[in-house]
């Protein structure tokens, strides 16, 4: 008797993303089955939601104990970092091939770590929260704005900044922004 296909739901904030993921999954009906999000073993979450709706739809998914995989835009690692910091269990790049996507879904359902090795800031030991704080600094936010956005105290924000600055070996906000831009963080939206 073969194992049951892993049930997968999709939270796509753009039709092209949702339909593209669905088509990729459809190539492997023996391994995965597309279902409504409420009945999914694994939910694929389009990180564009971190920008479009400020990630407001992610906490309910995580709270219902779904395994959530962020589908990351490679040019917006800041959105990926925010999704992981908000509770996504891992991430997969939009550039993944269908077989890799299915394997990531199966690994996530089995409780294995799925995040790719090139996680933003991993090479210098940044935590997901430090990445998120640096991403918001790079977007031009003040410490107070960051505290409000992340529901942290101002002192916690300052602690994350100090530890991140030490890891990336900078001593000023402008040098931190320069480092971030050189290392894959998205520039501020104009």
């Amino acid at each position: 008797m073969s194992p049951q296909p892993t049930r997968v739901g999709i939270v796509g904030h753009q039709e092209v993303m949702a339909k593209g993921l669905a088509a990729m999954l459809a190539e492997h009906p023996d391994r995965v089955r597309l279902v409504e999000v409420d009945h999914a073993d694994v939910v694929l979450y389009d990180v564009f939601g971190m920008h479009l709706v400020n990630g407001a739809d992610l906490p309910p998914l995580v709270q219902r104990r779904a395994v959530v995989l962020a589908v990351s835009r490679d040019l917006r690692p800041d959105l990926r970092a925010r999704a992981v910091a908000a509770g996504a269990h891992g991430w997969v790049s939009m550039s993944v091939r269908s077989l890799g996507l299915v394997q990531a879904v199966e690994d996530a359902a089995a409780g294995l770590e799925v995040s790719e090795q090139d996680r933003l800031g991993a090479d210098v030991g940044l935590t997901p929260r430090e990445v998120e704080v640096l991403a918001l600094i790079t977007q031009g936010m003040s410490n107070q704005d960051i505290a409000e956005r992340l529901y942290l105290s101002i002192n916690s924000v300052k602690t994350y900044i100090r530890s991140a600055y030490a890891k990336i070996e900078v001593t000023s906000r402008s040098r931190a922004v320069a480092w971030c831009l050189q290392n894959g963080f998205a520039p501020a939206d104009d």
Side-chain angles (χ1 to χ4, degrees), residues 142-162:
S142 69
N143 290 0
Q144 186 61 44
D145 292 338
I146 294 168
E148 291 171 9
R149 167 76 68 87
L150 301 179
Y151 303 102
L152 296 171
S153 73
I154 192 73
N155 288 332
S156 293
V157 170
K158 290 177 182 179
T159 298
Y160 286 119
I161 290 171
R162 276 192 302 273

Side-chain angles (χ1 to χ4, degrees), residues 34-103:
L34 194 58
V35 298
E36 294 295 321
V37 170
D38 291 339
H39 303 290
D41 301 314
V42 176
V43 174
L44 297 175
Y45 179 82
D46 174 8
V47 298
F48 190 59
M50 300 308 293
H51 172 71
L52 190 63
V53 295
N54 200 25
D57 53 352
L58 184 55
L61 297 172
V62 173
Q63 289 169 355
R64 65 174 272 281
R65 294 192 174 90
V67 176
V68 178
L69 283 182
V71 181
S72 174
R73 287 160 165 72
D74 295 335
L75 297 177
R76 290 299 307 261
D78 56 311
L79 297 179
R80 171 179 68 220
R82 287 177 51 203
V84 170
H89 296 85
W91 64 274
V92 63
S93 170
M94 264 181 45
S95 63
V96 70
R97 296 190 182 277
S98 66
L99 194 56
L101 177 63
V102 169
Q103 187 63 54

